Amino acid sequence: MSIGSFSFDVTASGQFPYIIAAILVAFGLYALLFKRNLIKMVIGITLIETGVNLFLVMVGYRSGGAAPIYTYANPGQGMVLPTPQALTLTSIVIGLATTALLLSFAIFVHRHYGTLDVRKIKELRG
Amino acid sequence: MGGISTGFGVWNPIAWTLLFIGILIIGLFVRSRGNKSYKRGTDQTQPFLSGNREPENPEALHVRGANLYWGMVHGLSGYYKRVRESHTGILNDYVAWFIGALGLVFVILFWIG
Amino acid sequence: MNKVLRVVAFLFVSAFLILAATSMRDFGVPNDATMDQYFIDNTQAEVGANNVVTAVVFDYRGFDTLGEATVLFTAVIAVLTLFRKRKEDEMFEGEVR
Amino acid sequence: MNDRGMSVIVRTVTRFVYGLIIVFGFYVIMHGHLTPGGGFQGGAIVASAFALLLVSFGAAGIKGKLNKKLLQSLEEIGALAFLGLAFAGLGTAFFYNLLAHGGGFFGAAVPAGPNPGILNAGGLVPLMNWAVGLKVMTGIASIVIVMLIGARKEETE
Amino acid sequence: MNTLAMHAPVLLVAVPLLGAFAVPLIGKLGRGVRDIFIGLIVAATAALAGLLAAHYFGGAGVPQLYVLGGANGFAIPLPSGLSVPIRILFEVDGMSAFMGLITALVTLTGAYFSFCYWRERSGGNMYYSLLLLLTAGIFGMELTGDMFNFFVFLEITSIAACGLIGFRVWLKKSQEAGFKVMALYTLSGLFVLLAIALLYGQHGALNMAFIASQIGTFGVSIVDKIALGLLLTGLAMKAGAVPMHMWAPDAYGEAPAPTSAILVANSQASLYGLFRVLFTIFGVGASIATNAWILIVLAVLTIFVGVTMALVQNDLKRLIAFGAVSQIGYMLLGVGVGLVRRASILAGGGSLVDSANALDYGFVAMQGGIFHMLNDAACVGLLFLASGAVIRASGTRDLNKMGGLAHHMKWTTIFFVIGAVALAGVPPFNGFASKLLIYQSAFKVSPFLSIIAILSSIMLLAVFVKAFQGAFMGSKTGLPEAGEARPGMLIPMAVLALVVIVFGLFPGFFIDTIVTPAAKALWLGRDAYIGAVLGGG
């Protein structure tokens, strides 16, 4: 089955999954551009991050492949590419780190300014 | 060893410095030949503030840094108004500039070549 | 930047992201899997681990993992820095609030 | 949720569960080179157990149970251990897996193809799993504790 | 090729990491022990950078590889019968070694300055740990030959930089700057990661040389182009190019003075990444000229807006920060002009080697831009250190509240003047040497560029006259309690001032020894860079 020219067949061809990731990234950009709350902007950043990680792990999919772990693999079955999974693990941990730092910065900004509204946090301008 | 030759000329700091020192020496020599007739401590060596007396508080004479170039900033006020307004401390605007530049780069890369 | 330009930029960037997604190769058929096939084939012989992903993470791309651990360490240090106890008398050198 | 933590049900269930979570996290770390998982994942699981303690007993309830200074020192030790394991192979190259197929410690040869897996294999990989696991569990735990206490101060101020 | 020089690239990253991991434990032994330890670590790092540079610039000039975890030795990045490097490679060419020198210089002076600057502060262990982590990240960005590894080090620098920016938690502005800069850094890092994912999806590898050869073989596809746009914008943003520069003054201005200089080195490292992407990975194909003109437009905007904004600042560090932003534009201008000329030579079928030997204006422009990186690091570092001393002595950052400091701190005044005059490009200091190369060769592309550059340079001098007038001139009674900076703070400044003067008096020597190999590595080193990994070439 297909919408427009994009086929739904997840096991085989088509770019539909990539488009999902791109749309996730676009949602994150929307939150960063139009939301006025610091926490919502952090959520937007995490959305972009999720989209990128999703894209990264989807790039490594090989149709009909199993997880690249020989302990559970059944003989003769192909395996998906292991590198993108490693990269995704790395970028997930990096995302955790950045989110933690951003949120603690948000705590301190709120402690100093008494608000989380971006439009009121503009001491540094000009 | 000191100099560099651009494709257009030569820049040699050592020679420049020697020349500078030479001109300095000549200038000091000319100055030393100058008129010695004025006396220290008299009005001849007092600062002349367009006829006003020198204020006791020397702080009053110090031109603060922010007061420099007010004329130039005033002359460029149109430009400065626009540029300083673009530096709103709002994070959304910063992200917007970033995204706008990204879109512009995409457009240039795909339409021009 | 005013709202209209913002919306335009957002739409442009989203459109180009969609363009990138649609002009990717098909889902599930990698262009060039030489490196990953090498990992899958030689992990048990070279590293001796059954989990290829862990072998990649800790052996073939171990330096990335060091950097990743460093990122986590950095974040921990930074957060502890922000929430540290500090002396009361260290307000000096023009640190106007 | 107040400083005393959450309701008695949650606290009782936590008492039962958090040990099991920690044991499972250690299992994931230990079998990182055989089964899905590894140092990061297992460390995150153990840290989640600490976080569970934190939310159910509150910041005051865990006073004395989780020592922040000890956690930070353990994290630095884990990071140093990881770096040291990376330095260990410097005779050949940085990050050279010098224990793999050494025959001895973690050096057993594994048969090719799908197999149940040998725990005593993988060279430096299991050791790095342990180092990273220690580092991640303590790091995330200290982040959570510090941020919770800071946010609590935020509320009281 | 002795062992230490062989291991130098990875040790440059590993030694600061070791220091950073160990500092919180060693700090428990007391401040003196910790400072000695950090001094040793930083000195060892600088020595390694010098060794690497000496080994490269003294050697044949071929890119030097380091295979991380390579079981089969260093020289063989590829397993037998395979065309893809499977492990992470460090690849050191002239540009990397040059950037390593810059980072080592700035880090050395910044760290030793901090020993006195941060004496009675809390959280010293964390401060030095973050500083060493930032250093390690910058070195990793400059030395790695692997895309994803580059991203990881980019994130390390981002987080460490933001931890340092928000270090003075009692300042509301520093927290605000920390949040903004962290958000923008994370965004740029995510764009870079997305670009890496696109490139991996297209080419199935992460090694820069392999991706470059693939693009050279199959041409630039649509996905590659989008990846190029993402990389270009993200890295230009992290380098602080207008119009993505708004974070830079906040960051440089709010960070502690010694680390502001290291943040400038961080921006230069992402600038290096930008050049690597534009010259090596996307160094062939139809779109080089377009990339080059994008660079030049960014450069002109950066130069002009940076200087004009610096003119109206009343905060000393913010003023210097805008000056530093404008200097990034000069590097972009020089290298952009070089890229334009390189594109035309490639299109005309000319020989890059001959043009480099014949001092073609494009090559001269790249020499100027790359030499200006070093000069900018030295001058801006000197200015930031001097501003830290001034702020510490005067107790304020507002130029309207300062005054008369020249009576109290003579040496700091001299160092500040040297840095300011050199950065503004007044002969015979080093800024003039590099800017002269940029002016003359940019004139060949368009006189407009040279005029903008020269005008902005003059305005920069005016900016520093304002800073000097505000801070140092005036009567003695302005700030009577201010005293001269401690010797521990004066000596790093003196080192940087010495570097400025020496580079200004003997520019030819340094251009011949270190700048020309670095420029050649970008100008014609693409094939060597690829061939060192994939063989042939």
Side-chain angles (χ1 to χ4, degrees):
Chain A
M1 93 190 223
S2 73
I3 287 180
S5 68
F6 308 126
S7 102
F8 256 57
D9 187 1
V10 184
T11 63
S13 66
Q15 287 86 10
F16 188 72
Y18 303 139
I19 295 170
I20 297 293
I23 289 172
L24 256 177
V25 175
F27 282 167
L29 286 181
Y30 173 82
L32 271 177
L33 279 171
F34 299 109
K35 290 298 173 193
R36 299 296 193 179
N37 189 323
L38 289 190
I39 304 297
K40 286 181 182 172
M41 297 188 76
V42 176
I43 292 172
I45 287 177
T46 23
L47 265 177
I48 299 181
E49 207 174 84
T50 317
V52 175
N53 291 341
L54 182 61
F55 181 77
L56 198 50
V57 82
M58 279 190 307
V59 156
Y61 180 71
R62 191 150 53 175
S63 41
I69 296 170
Y70 278 104
T71 310
Y72 297 146
N74 37 2
Q77 190 181 10
M79 288 183 175
V80 303
L81 313 184
T83 316
Q85 303 193 13
L87 305 188
T88 314
L89 172 63
T90 305
S91 70
I92 284 173
V93 175
I94 289 174
L96 166 87
T98 47
T99 313
L101 189 54
L102 274 169
L103 286 177
S104 36
F105 268 128
I107 289 177
F108 270 84
V109 167
H110 183 271
R111 190 174 291 180
H112 281 303
Y113 288 79
T115 175
L116 285 174
D117 189 349
V118 182
R119 286 162 299 185
K120 294 190 181 60
I121 304 168
K122 44 182 210 175
E123 292 263 327
L124 291 162
R125 64 173 184 274
Chain B
M1 138 176 184
I4 56 178
S5 73
T6 72
F8 315 87
V10 174
W11 158 242
N12 192 334
I14 307 289
W16 190 91
T17 318
L18 294 179
L19 190 66
F20 182 78
I21 292 171
I23 294 172
L24 199 64
I25 289 171
I26 293 171
L28 290 175
F29 175 75
V30 171
R31 183 178 182 279
S32 70
R33 311 298 302 159
N35 186 355
K36 303 242 179 5
S37 69
Y38 73 87
K39 304 163 206 58
R40 298 193 170 278
T42 65
D43 292 348
Q44 286 172 325
T45 57
Q46 293 298 322
F48 178 69
L49 299 175
S50 64
N52 308 324
R53 285 180 54 253
E54 180 180 3
E56 280 69 17
N57 175 18
E59 280 298 299
L61 283 178
H62 181 212
V63 181
R64 294 295 182 183
N67 305 334
L68 291 177
Y69 310 126
W70 68 266
M72 178 176 177
V73 175
H74 181 70
L76 290 174
S77 57
Y79 166 81
Y80 270 119
K81 188 169 176 300
R82 197 171 287 109
V83 174
R84 294 191 77 158
E85 272 177 358
S86 75
H87 289 73
T88 64
I90 302 176
L91 186 52
N92 298 113
D93 298 347
Y94 295 177
V95 176
W97 279 106
F98 187 20
I99 302 299
L102 181 60
L104 208 58
V105 166
F106 278 154
V107 171
I108 292 170
L109 280 180
F110 273 88
W111 262 255
I112 295 179
Chain C
M1 279 168 73
N2 60 7
K3 194 105 176 174
V4 182
L5 280 174
R6 204 174 290 202
V7 174
V8 169
F10 169 65
L11 291 180
F12 260 99
V13 171
S14 316
F16 275 105
L17 288 176
I18 302 285
L19 171 65
T22 47
S23 51
M24 278 289 289
R25 55 169 176 75
D26 282 352
F27 179 67
V29 279
N31 277 351
D32 178 0
T34 322
M35 180 172 70
D36 302 271
Q37 198 53 50
Y38 180 89
F39 291 151
I40 293 171
D41 297 339
N42 301 36
T43 294
Q44 286 179 312
E46 286 189 353
V47 185
N50 272 354
N51 185 343
V52 183
V53 176
T54 310
V56 171
V57 164
F58 282 104
D59 188 305
Y60 291 107
R61 301 192 66 83
F63 201 63
D64 277 350
T65 311
L66 179 60
E68 169 185 9
T70 311
V71 167
L72 193 56
F73 181 83
T74 316
V76 172
I77 290 288
V79 172
L80 295 177
T81 306
L82 291 183
F83 286 101
R84 72 183 186 270
K85 288 194 209 61
R86 52 171 211 271
K87 312 179 196 139
E88 288 313 311
D89 59 343
E90 62 180 328
M91 235 75 79
F92 71 99
E93 63 193 59
E95 286 160 343
V96 283
R97 282 175 173 276
Chain D
M1 113 196 182
N2 58 3
D3 221 18
R4 303 284 326 125
M6 299 173 75
S7 71
V8 63
I9 301 171
V10 180
R11 274 185 271 163
T12 317
V13 174
T14 306
R15 280 202 197 85
F16 282 123
V17 168
Y18 83 94
L20 300 178
I21 298 179
I22 290 178
V23 170
F24 177 66
F26 281 138
Y27 157 77
V28 170
I29 296 175
M30 196 164 125
H31 290 71
H33 58 299
L34 300 179
T35 62
F40 284 98
Q41 297 87 329
I45 293 170
V46 178
S48 73
F50 290 156
L52 180 62
L53 276 180
L54 211 51
V55 292
S56 54
F57 289 102
I62 57 121
K63 211 173 282 300
K65 288 196 182 64
L66 286 177
N67 182 355
K68 223 167 62 182
K69 291 247 181 306
L70 177 66
L71 283 180
Q72 293 162 21
S73 310
L74 279 178
E75 191 210 358
E76 286 130 20
I77 287 167
L80 280 174
F82 188 26
L83 194 61
L85 286 172
F87 265 115
L90 199 58
T92 308
F94 201 62
F95 262 103
Y96 174 55
N97 190 343
L98 79 166
L99 280 185
H101 305 298
F105 189 53
F106 283 122
V110 295
N115 59 343
I118 305 164
L119 198 55
N120 181 24
L124 288 182
V125 173
L127 302 174
M128 287 182 174
N129 265 325
W130 276 111
V132 170
L134 178 67
K135 190 205 167 308
V136 171
M137 70 175 80
T138 49
I140 297 181
S142 49
I143 282 187
V144 170
I145 293 173
V146 166
M147 282 184 74
L148 183 87
I149 293 172
R152 185 60 41 76
K153 211 189 302 174
E154 179 76 11
E155 288 170 9
T156 55
E157 271 175 3
Chain E
M1 179 166 177
N2 60 352
T3 318
L4 192 56
M6 195 163 64
H7 287 288
V10 71
L11 286 180
L12 262 179
V13 180
V15 168
L17 277 188
L18 176 67
F21 291 160
V23 159
L25 291 175
I26 294 202
K28 292 181 168 47
L29 304 178
R31 215 195 69 232
V33 184
R34 185 196 69 203
D35 287 1
I36 291 168
F37 175 72
I38 293 159
L40 287 178
I41 287 285
V42 175
T45 314
L48 279 168
L51 175 68
L52 183 64
H55 182 270
Y56 182 81
F57 293 129
V62 292
Q64 172 182 340
L65 284 179
Y66 189 94
V67 185
L68 284 147
N72 42 11
F74 302 96
I76 313 161
L78 306 176
S80 59
L82 208 58
S83 69
V84 181
I86 60 159
R87 293 181 181 270
I88 296 178
L89 303 183
F90 268 21
E91 185 155 8
V92 183
D93 66 353
M95 197 63 200
S96 312
F98 183 77
M99 296 302 293
L101 277 182
I102 295 177
T103 315
L105 174 69
V106 175
T107 311
L108 196 64
T109 47
Y112 278 94
F113 187 87
S114 308
F115 290 151
C116 268
Y117 189 77
W118 281 93
R119 181 158 289 164
E120 52 280 283
R121 292 312 193 81
S122 68
N125 298 345
M126 303 166 183
Y127 173 81
Y128 289 113
S129 182
L130 286 173
L131 193 146
L132 288 171
L133 286 166
L134 181 56
T135 311
I138 295 173
F139 275 123
M141 281 170 70
E142 290 161 356
L143 296 176
T144 186
D146 188 279
M147 292 296 282
F148 192 78
N149 205 356
F150 181 84
F151 161 74
V152 169
F153 283 115
L154 193 79
E155 287 293 336
I156 292 177
T157 53
S158 305
I159 298 178
C162 293
L164 286 169
I165 290 165
F167 195 82
R168 293 181 284 189
V169 285
W170 53 88
L171 300 179
K172 62 193 296 189
K173 282 185 179 181
S174 77
Q175 300 308 303
E176 176 189 349
F179 186 88
K180 288 177 182 174
V181 177
M182 189 68 223
L184 289 172
Y185 272 3
T186 313
L187 193 57
S188 72
L190 284 172
F191 281 161
V192 171
L193 179 58
L194 183 55
I196 291 168
L198 288 167
L199 287 175
Y200 176 83
Q202 283 300 99
H203 307 298
L206 292 160
N207 184 278
M208 290 185 189
F210 182 78
I211 294 173
S213 73
Q214 290 273 313
I215 288 173
T217 314
F218 302 119
V220 183
S221 69
I222 294 178
V223 178
D224 295 339
K225 229 173 222 184
I226 289 183
L228 168 64
L230 286 166
L231 281 171
L232 202 156
T233 322
L235 290 173
M237 189 277 229
K238 204 158 183 310
V242 177
M244 294 93 76
H245 69 291
M246 282 87 162
W247 61 271
D250 304 357
Y252 302 159
E254 292 307 316
T259 51
S260 305
I262 307 180
L263 288 183
V264 173
N266 182 9
S267 295
Q268 290 188 352
S270 40
L271 207 58
Y272 158 82
L274 182 59
F275 296 159
R276 178 63 73 203
V277 166
L278 288 182
F279 278 88
T280 302
I281 297 179
F282 291 92
V284 294
S287 69
I288 315 176
T290 318
N291 309 339
W293 280 106
I294 291 174
L295 269 196
I296 290 180
V297 170
L298 284 179
V300 172
L301 281 175
T302 310
I303 293 172
F304 193 67
V305 174
V307 169
T308 43
M309 283 303 292
L311 196 60
V312 294
Q313 300 300 321
N314 291 329
D315 181 331
L316 179 58
K317 281 189 72 181
R318 211 170 156 78
L319 182 140
I320 299 173
F322 270 111
V325 169
S326 77
Q327 294 313 300
I328 295 283
Y330 282 93
M331 306 160 202
L332 281 172
L333 180 60
V335 179
V337 168
L339 195 51
V340 169
R341 177 59 178 161
R342 186 173 182 272
S344 64
I345 287 179
L346 284 178
S351 155
L352 290 173
V353 184
D354 303 344
S355 57
N357 295 333
L359 282 181
D360 184 86
Y361 72 87
F363 186 71
V364 173
M366 291 196 54
Q367 278 180 332
I370 291 167
F371 189 32
H372 196 66
M373 281 185 159
L374 186 47
N375 300 339
D376 169 67
C379 301
V380 174
L382 180 54
L383 281 173
F384 272 128
L385 296 191
S387 73
V390 164
I391 290 165
R392 187 190 174 98
S394 70
T396 176
R397 278 164 50 174
D398 191 351
L399 282 174
N400 294 330
K401 297 196 183 66
M402 294 185 187
L405 286 173
H407 298 286
H408 306 293
M409 33 206 327
K410 299 188 169 41
W411 285 105
T412 313
T413 315
I414 293 169
F415 293 145
F416 185 89
V417 171
I418 288 175
V421 166
L423 193 62
V426 172
F429 292 102
N430 56 359
F432 177 74
S434 49
K435 283 185 178 178
L436 182 72
L437 299 173
I438 298 175
Y439 300 151
Q440 291 189 344
S441 39
F443 190 84
K444 286 292 274 288
V445 172
S446 151
F448 171 74
L449 301 176
S450 303
I451 291 166
I452 289 282
I454 295 171
L455 269 181
S456 311
S457 195
I458 296 165
M459 278 178 74
L460 192 66
L461 187 59
V463 166
F464 285 123
V465 166
K466 169 181 176 177
F468 183 72
Q469 160 77 17
F472 295 102
M473 287 298 158
S475 68
K476 204 191 211 86
T477 62
L479 294 154
E481 73 284 354
E484 177 59 281
R486 299 188 188 128
M489 293 157 68
L490 284 178
I491 289 164
M493 285 193 256
V495 170
L496 279 175
L498 191 69
V499 168
V500 166
I501 291 172
V502 170
F503 275 62
L505 286 187
F506 308 105
F509 172 69
F510 293 102
I511 283 185
D512 294 341
T513 45
I514 57 177
V515 175
T516 308
K520 274 185 177 162
L522 287 184
W523 179 260
L524 50 88
R526 183 173 182 273
D527 298 339
Y529 193 89
I530 296 171
V533 175
L534 302 182

